[in-house]
Amino acid sequence: LRWDLNYLYLNKSVPHLEGPPEPLQFYRDWIGPNKPCIIRNAFSHWPALSRWTPIYLREKIGSKVISVAVTPNGYADAVAGDRFVMPEERQMSFSSVLDIIEGTKTGVFYVQKQCSNLLQELPELVDDLEPHVPWMSTALGKSPDAVNFWLGEANAVTSMHKDPYENLYCVISGEKHFILLPPTDRPFVPYGLYQSAVYQEQDGGEFKVIDNVDSHKVAWIPLDPLDPDLERFPQYRLARPLCCTVKAGEMLYLPSLWFHHVRQSHGCIAVNFWYDMEYDIKYNYFQLLESLSEVANGSS
Amino acid sequence: LRWDLNYLYLNKSVPHLEGPPEPLQFYRDWIGPNKPCIIRNAFSHWPALSRWTPIYLREKIGSKVISVAVTPNGYADAVAGDRFVMPEERQMSFSSVLDIIEGTKTGVFYVQKQCSNLLQELPELVDDLEPHVPWMSTALGKSPDAVNFWLGEANAVTSMHKDPYENLYCVISGEKHFILLPPTDRPFVPYGLYQSAVYQEQDGGEFKVIDNVDSHKVAWIPLDPLDPDLERFPQYRLARPLCCTVKAGEMLYLPSLWFHHVRQSHGCIAVNFWYDMEYDIKYNYFQLLESLSEVANGSS
């Protein structure tokens, strides 16, 4: 059996569009085919692009308490040794997060307000951006499930994973570096089952790993696409990673079920929109591929 | 490995829409998800619906010579024994085809002008219908590759197969009976390799099967969904056939790569539009499923 079919639908790099597309054309060219692209000039009218400086954000939301992911090494939600380790979730004021990012401190801090509605929780920022992406909402016939806010340090890394969302990722300042793998590369992506655990900073400043004893094991990807261990994961040789950088003012369309690994420049600010994916024929094909991959790799 | 995943995307029957859809909504709800539906009132404005009686057609195109598929049993392009047998292609005037359909004669006649442009070859009929389906052309961003004309007897059957087209099938008079299988049922559909042959009517009226000696073998589906031989093809038990009847004035959207078997009422007239399919992620998933099915079933 040859897994390495010639995937006609894939581009060799992530193409750029020079402006916001028509909804139908975007559906036909990118959402339906499940292909990523970078859209320029799609949110030039957002005041956030010029306004969101540290001074402005301190003034507007400095006293607001938000949830921050803290880790010793920048890896929140990632495999470390034989554990799947989640960050310490710490409540702190937005100002103190900015202090850390502008200064120095042990640990890596990452504001990653996932599964939350940025505009409901930070109404002070509501005038700085739109609550959805109109042509995307029209194309999909629905509003986003979540609008997330991201602010982090250069060494805060999001390990390889996939989401059941059509994702529009808008970089407000700095830049984000993505490594993308199509869902059809699922057979080349190793998974393992890991005891889940959480980081906990000690008084001395070092971090301990505390097991979540009553949780199920977590299926996660142990492979680091920045330095893939091809002796342990030889099937990854057949994967077709696409790398791209999304700059301030640019928007990445990251299609549902694409694997992605994300890095960023220091202090990079981004907002993303999650639109629920359709559980359609593509999803069922993916499920089949997933169960085949599990059989082929002995449940990993 | 369980092939029989729960295909969330499938309906238990073919749904009806009560009027022509908006292009984007049709793309999102049916083309993208690759799901069939029947559209009512989609071509009520075509004069063909009331005009295309035998008398009118005799008058307009009666003297026109067209290509007709003739078989002893109604099966054109189908497996018969250890052969894949194609019909005798006979050139006859449209009037003589109507004589046969209205009278009696050995052999089954089927006008199936595939891969041809009805409106270029029969310009006499150009005022009776539209040359494309405007909302479909807008949705897909292209014109149809072919417009086909179908006229046949009650025992003219199209054996189970699939096409690389998005297909809109418009019944002008009579009715068509479809048995449909989704592309995700590919593992349950048996294929064999057959010597290709063609029917040839003899002077006595009986038909001989003549091998096409210099042609490659043809991969075709030997299974008859009207009477499936489950001892020979046990995997077909897992298939999920959908049956539907398309009546005069109704249009079937038959998505690309769906398997279909077609019967019709006597003298049924239909026109269909073939729009080239996209070779996108769905196509690549299908190819993978195809190669897996070949491995699992030993190249059949």
Side-chain angles (χ1 to χ4, degrees):
Chain A
L1 175 64
R2 295 192 59 222
W3 289 106
D4 55 333
L5 295 169
N6 182 21
Y7 286 128
L8 299 165
Y9 76 97
L10 287 179
N11 294 301
K12 302 271 177 219
S13 62
V14 180
H16 289 78
L17 312 185
E18 291 305 322
E22 288 302 315
L24 170 60
Q25 200 173 354
F26 194 73
Y27 204 106
R28 193 165 63 208
D29 293 349
W30 307 99
I31 303 171
N34 198 248
K35 286 166 66 173
C37 64
I38 293 171
I39 307 137
R40 294 185 169 129
N41 307 306
F43 54 100
S44 330
H45 57 294
W46 289 8
L49 263 181
S50 55
R51 278 189 199 156
W52 285 9
T53 61
I55 292 171
Y56 175 88
L57 291 171
R58 270 181 205 278
E59 185 193 308
K60 281 280 192 177
I61 55 168
S63 60
K64 210 93 185 187
V65 173
I66 54 169
S67 179
V68 183
V70 187
T71 60
N73 52 16
Y75 281 85
D77 298 338
V79 173
D82 57 355
R83 296 278 185 286
F84 170 74
V85 193
M86 289 176 284
E88 182 177 333
E89 291 278 346
R90 205 176 294 175
Q91 302 298 309
M92 22 198 322
S93 72
F94 198 84
S95 283
S96 46
V97 177
L98 286 171
D99 291 345
I100 289 159
I101 284 175
E102 291 176 334
T104 52
K105 187 167 183 321
T106 35
V108 177
F109 292 72
Y110 196 15
V111 181
Q112 42 176 16
K113 290 195 74 59
Q114 289 177 48
C115 311
S116 77
N117 193 315
L118 163 67
L119 300 166
Q120 271 158 27
E121 296 191 20
L122 298 174
E124 300 82 359
L125 302 181
V126 81
D127 294 333
D128 295 347
L129 70 170
E130 274 187 297
H132 71 144
V133 178
W135 46 267
M136 188 65 162
S137 301
T138 301
L140 295 172
K142 58 190 164 199
S143 299
D145 271 15
V147 186
N148 307 309
F149 179 90
W150 307 81
L151 164 64
E153 296 182 82
N155 39 5
V157 171
T158 304
S159 74
M160 182 90 93
H161 70 289
K162 62 181 165 53
D163 300 306
Y165 293 104
E166 304 295 346
N167 195 340
L168 290 178
Y169 216 109
C170 309
V171 177
I172 307 292
S173 71
E175 50 189 51
K176 291 261 181 192
H177 309 285
F178 288 84
I179 301 173
L180 306 176
L181 287 178
T184 42
D185 273 358
R186 173 63 183 83
F188 319 133
V189 175
Y191 269 84
L193 272 180
Y194 300 93
Q195 168 65 49
S196 96
V198 65
Y199 286 117
Q200 193 179 77
E201 194 174 8
Q202 307 301 298
D203 287 342
E206 83 278 24
F207 282 80
K208 267 180 82 173
V209 171
I210 313 288
D211 281 354
N212 293 329
V213 282
D214 48 340
S215 88
H216 287 286
K217 289 204 167 187
V218 174
W220 207 260
I221 301 165
L223 176 129
D224 179 358
L226 294 172
D227 182 24
D229 183 343
L230 295 176
E231 284 196 17
R232 234 180 112 198
F233 310 116
Q235 76 273 34
Y236 189 72
R237 281 179 211 279
L238 293 171
R240 276 148 291 211
L242 283 178
C243 299
C244 69
T245 292
V246 186
K247 297 180 183 160
E250 294 181 341
M251 175 192 282
L252 173 67
Y253 166 56
L254 176 58
S256 54
L257 303 186
W258 275 64
F259 300 95
H260 52 289
H261 172 280
V262 195
R263 287 168 303 144
Q264 63 204 311
S265 62
H266 195 78
C268 172
I269 300 177
V271 167
N272 85 307
F273 297 87
W274 269 344
Y275 288 84
D276 196 18
M277 68 172 277
E278 291 300 324
Y279 292 86
D280 63 359
I281 192 174
K282 291 199 294 277
Y283 177 73
N284 281 119
Y285 276 131
F286 181 80
Q287 274 197 305
L288 181 63
L289 197 52
E290 178 128 82
S291 67
L292 286 167
S293 302
E294 282 166 6
V295 170
N297 300 327
S299 106
S300 78
Chain B
L1 173 65
R2 294 192 58 222
W3 288 106
D4 55 333
L5 294 170
N6 182 18
Y7 286 126
L8 298 166
Y9 77 96
L10 287 179
N11 295 302
K12 302 269 177 222
S13 62
V14 179
H16 289 78
L17 312 184
E18 290 304 322
E22 289 301 313
L24 170 59
Q25 200 174 352
F26 194 73
Y27 204 106
R28 193 165 63 209
D29 293 348
W30 308 99
I31 303 171
N34 197 249
K35 286 167 65 174
C37 64
I38 293 171
I39 307 137
R40 293 186 169 128
N41 306 306
F43 54 100
S44 331
H45 56 294
W46 289 8
L49 263 180
S50 55
R51 276 189 200 157
W52 285 10
T53 60
I55 294 171
Y56 176 87
L57 291 171
R58 270 182 205 277
E59 183 194 309
K60 279 282 192 176
I61 54 169
S63 61
K64 210 93 183 187
V65 172
I66 55 169
S67 178
V68 183
V70 186
T71 60
N73 53 15
Y75 281 84
D77 298 338
V79 172
D82 58 354
R83 295 279 186 284
F84 170 74
V85 192
M86 290 178 284
E88 181 177 333
E89 292 278 345
R90 205 174 296 173
Q91 302 298 309
M92 25 197 321
S93 72
F94 198 85
S95 285
S96 45
V97 177
L98 285 172
D99 290 344
I100 289 159
I101 284 175
E102 292 177 334
T104 51
K105 185 169 186 319
T106 34
V108 177
F109 292 71
Y110 197 14
V111 180
Q112 42 175 14
K113 290 196 71 61
Q114 290 177 50
C115 311
S116 78
N117 194 314
L118 162 68
L119 300 166
Q120 272 158 26
E121 295 190 19
L122 298 174
E124 299 82 358
L125 302 180
V126 79
D127 293 334
D128 295 346
L129 71 168
E130 274 187 298
H132 71 144
V133 179
W135 47 265
M136 187 66 162
S137 301
T138 301
L140 295 172
K142 57 190 166 199
S143 298
D145 271 16
V147 186
N148 307 309
F149 179 89
W150 307 80
L151 164 64
E153 296 183 81
N155 40 3
V157 171
T158 304
S159 74
M160 181 91 92
H161 71 290
K162 61 181 166 50
D163 300 306
Y165 292 104
E166 305 294 347
N167 194 341
L168 290 178
Y169 215 110
C170 309
V171 177
I172 306 293
S173 71
E175 50 188 49
K176 291 262 181 189
H177 309 285
F178 288 84
I179 301 173
L180 307 176
L181 286 179
T184 43
D185 272 358
R186 174 62 183 83
F188 318 134
V189 175
Y191 269 85
L193 271 180
Y194 299 93
Q195 168 65 49
S196 96
V198 65
Y199 286 116
Q200 194 180 76
E201 195 176 7
Q202 307 301 298
D203 287 339
E206 83 279 23
F207 282 80
K208 266 179 84 173
V209 171
I210 314 288
D211 282 354
N212 292 330
V213 283
D214 48 340
S215 88
H216 288 286
K217 288 202 167 189
V218 174
W220 206 260
I221 301 166
L223 177 129
D224 179 0
L226 294 173
D227 182 23
D229 183 343
L230 296 175
E231 283 197 18
R232 232 179 112 198
F233 311 116
Q235 76 273 34
Y236 189 71
R237 282 178 210 278
L238 294 170
R240 276 150 292 212
L242 283 178
C243 298
C244 69
T245 292
V246 186
K247 297 179 182 160
E250 294 181 339
M251 175 192 282
L252 172 68
Y253 166 55
L254 176 59
S256 54
L257 302 185
W258 276 64
F259 299 96
H260 52 289
H261 172 279
V262 195
R263 286 168 305 144
Q264 63 203 311
S265 62
H266 195 77
C268 172
I269 300 178
V271 167
N272 85 308
F273 297 87
W274 269 345
Y275 288 84
D276 197 17
M277 68 173 278
E278 290 300 323
Y279 292 86
D280 63 359
I281 192 174
K282 291 199 294 279
Y283 177 73
N284 282 120
Y285 276 132
F286 181 80
Q287 274 197 305
L288 181 62
L289 197 53
E290 178 128 82
S291 67
L292 287 167
S293 303
E294 282 167 5
V295 169
N297 301 326
S299 107
S300 78

